[in-house]
Amino acid sequence: VEKCIVVCTVEAIESEMGWYYLSCKVCSKKVQYERGFVFLTKLCIVFFFNRYKLHLVVLDHTGNSKFLLFDHLALQLVNQPCIELTGPITDV
């Protein structure tokens, strides 16, 4: 595993696959839905919130690529908490 710095321009944010997901505050796992039911672990009974999941198309002098940014990195890019853009969770 190596760390690297990529200098590029964000060309687009693809939203077809969604740009956020519902997550548990306790275990950070994605909340699963199936046939109208919500599936949670024992710890996750009532604590959830929205997290970023941004699909980016980036461009540099060599071409373009796709990046997937989750909550903390996406927050640095957007500079606004996900809950401010999605609103509070009311339908779970």
Side-chain angles (χ1 to χ4, degrees):
V1 176
E2 293 185 33
K3 291 184 180 184
C4 64
I5 296 174
V6 177
V7 179
C8 60
T9 302
V10 175
E11 188 174 81
I13 298 175
E14 294 182 343
S15 60
E16 298 86 37
M17 296 172 53
W19 57 273
Y20 71 94
Y21 65 100
L22 190 60
S23 171
C24 170
K25 284 185 179 180
V26 177
C27 72
S28 298
K29 291 183 180 179
K30 181 179 177 182
V31 174
Q32 300 294 324
Y33 294 97
E34 186 176 319
R35 297 183 186 152
F37 294 98
V38 176
F39 291 91
L40 304 169
T41 66
K42 290 180 184 176
L43 298 173
C44 312
I45 302 302
V46 292
F47 304 105
F48 6 35
F49 65 112
N50 295 326
R51 289 183 182 258
Y52 282 115
K53 178 189 72 167
L54 297 182
H55 297 261
L56 303 180
V57 177
V58 298
L59 181 66
D60 71 1
H61 69 282
T62 64
N64 64 17
S65 187
K66 293 187 178 184
F67 287 5
L68 178 59
L69 270 61
F70 284 102
D71 206 41
H72 297 292
L73 291 175
L75 178 59
Q76 291 177 23
L77 179 69
V78 178
N79 201 28
Q80 199 171 15
C82 190
I83 189 71
E84 287 185 15
L85 298 177
T86 61
I89 302 164
T90 58
D91 60 348
V92 176

